[in-house]
């Protein structure tokens, strides 16, 4: 079974509009971390935002916010005021056993290709 | 400061050959990760180093794949007897132990093509 599911292979959004990219996850751990990365056509993965499983408030970083619904096991990324430079692949990822200071591998979804139209 | 660097950026080899891919992490980052990304997929975990030792190598697909990090900094991913199915982008990432999120910083990748 997939641990990270991104059901939208591609999304279009008009410049300056908001867009939501979906992500659901599957884990039996109580402590875990959720990440979103952006991968432009250049190929480099860029960290955007993080949500810990025990965080009570949704994470925000500038124009990025994470809509975390723990009971539904979803961690959707919301990008407000889309810009042309937001066009890229977006990956949702999870790190299980996310105890304080822990490090471990990320499990990635298949990604969503976002295209911003002028 | 300097980010994660990987060399070469592109590598073309013939089936059956041996290849080495190098990763230079961000200075001071104790953890180093290797991932493999096939076309149209997300990165898949291969191996994770904490310092010089491999903390988790459960993602290595078979014994043709091996990685080292002898001095706790630069790492080399080694692939023996390459197969066409090994063609992918190999990504390296590093992270600090004491950062709030332990987010991983990725390099630009090495695109490996096995003919």
């Amino acid at each position: 079974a997939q641990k990270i599911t991104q059901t939208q292979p591609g999304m279009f959004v008009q410049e300056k509009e908001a867009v939501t990219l979906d992500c659901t996850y599957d884990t039996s751990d109580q402590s875990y971390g959720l990440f979103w990365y952006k991968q432009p056509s250049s190929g480099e993965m860029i960290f955007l935002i993080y949500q810990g499983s025990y965080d009570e408030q949704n994470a925000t970083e500038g124009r990025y916010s994470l809509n975390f619904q723990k009971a539904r096991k979803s961690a959707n990324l919301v990008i407000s005021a889309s810009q042309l430079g937001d066009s890229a692949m977006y990956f949702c990822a999870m790190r299980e056993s996310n105890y304080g200071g822990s490090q471990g591998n990320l499990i990635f979804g298949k990604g969503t290709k976002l295209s911003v139209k002028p | 400061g300097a980010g994660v660097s990987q060399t070469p950026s592109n590598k073309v080899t013939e089936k059956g050959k041996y290849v080495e891919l190098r990763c230079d992490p961000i200075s001071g980052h104790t953890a180093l990760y290797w991932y493999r990304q096939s076309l149209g997929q997300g990165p898949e975990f291969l191996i994770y180093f904490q310092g010089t030792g491999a903390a988790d190598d459960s993602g290595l697909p078979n014994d043709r794949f091996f990685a080292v990090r002898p001095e706790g900094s630069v790492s080399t991913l080694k692939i023996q007897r390459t197969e066409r199915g090994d063609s992918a982008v190999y990504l390296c990432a590093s992270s600090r132990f004491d950062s709030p999120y332990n987010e991983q910083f990725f390099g630009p990748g090495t695109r490996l093509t096995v003919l």
Side-chain angles (χ1 to χ4, degrees):
Chain A
Q2 285 192 18
K3 294 224 171 190
I4 298 288
T5 302
Q6 296 181 253
T7 57
Q8 307 153 314
M11 289 281 286
F12 287 91
V13 65
Q14 201 70 38
E15 194 179 6
K16 301 181 185 176
E17 298 287 313
V19 63
T20 298
L21 306 183
D22 295 342
C23 173
T24 57
Y25 60 91
D26 183 24
T27 182
S28 56
D29 286 353
Q30 295 301 307
S31 178
Y32 50 89
L34 297 159
F35 299 78
W36 278 91
Y37 280 83
K38 172 184 179 181
Q39 188 176 43
S41 56
S42 59
E44 197 155 340
M45 301 283 282
I46 302 167
F47 166 69
L48 295 178
I49 195 166
Y50 166 84
Q51 180 85 42
S53 58
Y54 291 124
D55 294 342
E56 294 186 351
Q57 293 198 341
N58 287 340
T60 60
E61 287 286 350
R63 295 187 298 111
Y64 305 108
S65 60
L66 203 152
N67 184 0
F68 180 47
Q69 298 189 39
K70 194 171 181 178
R72 295 180 60 188
K73 293 189 174 178
S74 75
N76 299 339
L77 177 70
V78 180
I79 305 174
S80 62
S82 297
Q83 302 172 355
L84 295 178
D86 294 335
S87 294
M89 286 291 293
Y90 288 80
F91 291 95
C92 179
M94 176 174 63
R95 181 179 61 220
E96 294 180 301
S97 300
N98 195 49
Y99 298 105
S102 77
Q103 295 173 315
N105 65 285
L106 298 176
I107 304 164
F108 285 86
K110 292 189 175 184
T112 295
K113 183 174 182 179
L114 178 66
S115 300
V116 181
K117 298 188 288 185
Chain B
V4 177
S5 63
Q6 293 185 246
T7 54
S9 55
N10 278 285
K11 177 70 177 177
V12 180
T13 191
E14 294 180 342
K15 180 175 178 295
K17 299 287 190 183
Y18 168 83
V19 296
E20 289 189 352
L21 311 179
R22 175 188 166 110
C23 173
D24 206 333
I26 294 172
S27 177
H29 282 197
T30 57
L32 184 146
Y33 308 80
W34 284 99
Y35 294 85
R36 178 168 71 174
Q37 187 174 22
S38 300
L39 195 61
Q41 303 292 320
E44 291 180 300
F45 168 71
L46 295 175
I47 186 170
Y48 150 48
F49 287 91
Q50 185 61 260
T52 59
D56 183 355
D57 64 358
S58 62
L60 295 177
N62 52 59
D63 61 5
R64 295 187 298 106
F65 288 75
F66 189 70
V68 295
R69 195 185 185 200
E71 298 179 357
S73 178
V74 171
S75 176
T76 304
L77 178 66
K78 308 179 181 194
I79 310 174
Q80 298 178 322
R81 304 183 304 280
T82 51
E83 299 177 357
R84 292 195 180 89
D86 299 335
S87 296
V89 176
Y90 289 81
L91 296 169
C92 176
S94 68
S95 66
R96 282 174 52 181
F97 179 74
D98 58 351
S99 64
Y101 310 140
N102 291 324
E103 70 271 30
Q104 296 176 21
F105 295 84
F106 282 79
T110 293
R111 182 176 298 277
L112 176 65
T113 303
V114 182
L115 300 177

